[in-house]
Amino acid sequence: GAVVSQHPSWVICKSGTSVKIECRSLDFQATTMFWYRQFPKQSLMLMATSNEGSKATYEQGVEKDKFLINHASLTLSTLTVTSAHPEDSSFYICSARDRSGGSSYEQYFGPGTRLTVT
Amino acid sequence: AQSVTQLDSQVPVFEEAPVELRCNYSSSVSVYLFWYVQYPNQGLQLLLKYLSGSTLVKGINGFEAEFNKSQTSFHLRKPSVHISDTAEYFCAVSGRMDSSYKLIFGSGTRLLVRP
């Protein structure tokens, strides 16, 4: 149980184009989803917190207009990297918190999406 | 606000030897603590968590960790490692009353198990 999927697992795009990454909770409903960015051999950096039916909360320094997050349902959140540039190349990981988790702070992580912008 | 320090960026160890990965945290409030493992090009998998109760927490794959409030530490241990334990390990903290449920991660420790 508690499986989170991401699609695509890897994507290559040209500079200036937009890329959408999907994060799905497969066997539970996720009130809250989180988007992280991870550079090679570094830790996860929280980009934003996504709550179903409301606007995402972005961390300081993360451009809202560049990284568009939509949490349209209890099982799906999307991250769109708009007008991508080579410096946006990174490993993007989402996680989800089970709606029925009560006070549990456990997050279930997706397998990540490798984005390469050429 | 919380912060996590993993002092060791890499820990090399021989197979079947014991290992300890260190984690110290800083917080003005009570916390929940987690250890995650990440294999190459994969997401994170929860090893164990401390929410309350016994300070010695047992997790998957033979790992355990001990919460030490006075030393603000949550070190991860395994008595005998395997080659397959080679991976990146992240310690994370969340404030107990933080309704955002955010996790703050340490910089990670790469465990390298040698035959």
Side-chain angles (χ1 to χ4, degrees), chain A residues 13 16 28 31 50 56 68 82 85 103 108 110 118:
Chain A
C13 71
F28 66 97
T31 326
S50 165
L68 299 179
T82 63
H85 291 286
S103 61
Y108 302 99
T118 60

Side-chain angles (χ1 to χ4, degrees), chain A residues 32 34 36 38 41-44 46 49 59 91 93 97 102-112 114, chain B residues 32 34 36 38 41-44 46 49 51 90 94-103 105-108:
Chain A
T32 307
F34 303 87
Y36 297 85
Q38 185 180 31
K41 299 184 179 181
Q42 294 189 28
S43 188
L44 281 73
L46 179 64
T49 303
E59 295 299 303
F91 194 51
I93 303 175
R97 179 176 169 268
S103 61
S104 171
Y105 280 63
E106 183 171 350
Q107 295 180 21
Y108 302 99
F109 285 80
R114 172 83 53 198
Chain B
Y32 296 124
F34 306 81
Y36 286 88
Q38 184 181 33
N41 297 311
Q42 295 186 28
L44 275 65
L46 180 68
K49 59 187 175 185
L51 302 181
F90 292 98
S94 183
R96 278 181 180 263
M97 302 305 292
D98 185 352
S99 59
S100 72
Y101 300 99
K102 290 181 188 179
L103 284 175
F105 284 89
S107 54

Side-chain angles (χ1 to χ4, degrees), chain B residues 54-85:
Chain B
S54 173
T55 57
L56 182 61
V57 180
K58 293 189 183 298
I60 62 172
N61 301 342
F63 284 94
E64 65 179 32
E66 185 157 18
F67 171 56
N68 188 317
K69 188 175 180 179
S70 62
Q71 297 186 8
T72 60
S73 68
F74 190 55
H75 301 332
L76 180 71
R77 302 185 184 98
K78 187 170 182 178
S80 176
V81 295
H82 301 290
I83 297 289
S84 59
D85 292 323

Side-chain angles (χ1 to χ4, degrees), chain A residues 17-108:
Chain A
T17 61
S18 295
V19 174
K20 180 183 285 188
I21 302 170
E22 293 186 348
C23 176
R24 292 182 185 274
S25 56
L26 299 185
D27 51 3
F28 66 97
Q29 293 183 324
T31 326
T32 307
M33 288 183 170
F34 303 87
W35 286 96
Y36 297 85
R37 185 173 180 177
Q38 185 180 31
F39 291 103
K41 299 184 179 181
Q42 294 189 28
S43 188
L44 281 73
M45 181 191 77
L46 179 64
M47 299 174 66
T49 303
S50 165
N51 291 298
E52 186 266 338
S54 62
K55 290 184 179 180
T57 302
Y58 290 81
E59 295 299 303
Q60 191 172 9
V62 178
E63 299 177 60
K64 301 179 183 181
D65 295 332
K66 180 160 191 64
F67 299 100
L68 299 179
I69 292 172
N70 182 22
H71 195 155
S73 75
L74 286 171
T75 59
L76 173 65
S77 177
T78 60
L79 167 67
T80 301
V81 183
T82 63
S83 187
H85 291 286
E87 57 265 30
D88 298 323
S89 298
S90 190
F91 194 51
Y92 292 88
I93 303 175
C94 74
S95 69
R97 179 176 169 268
D98 192 335
R99 182 186 191 187
S100 63
S103 61
S104 171
Y105 280 63
E106 183 171 350
Q107 295 180 21
Y108 302 99

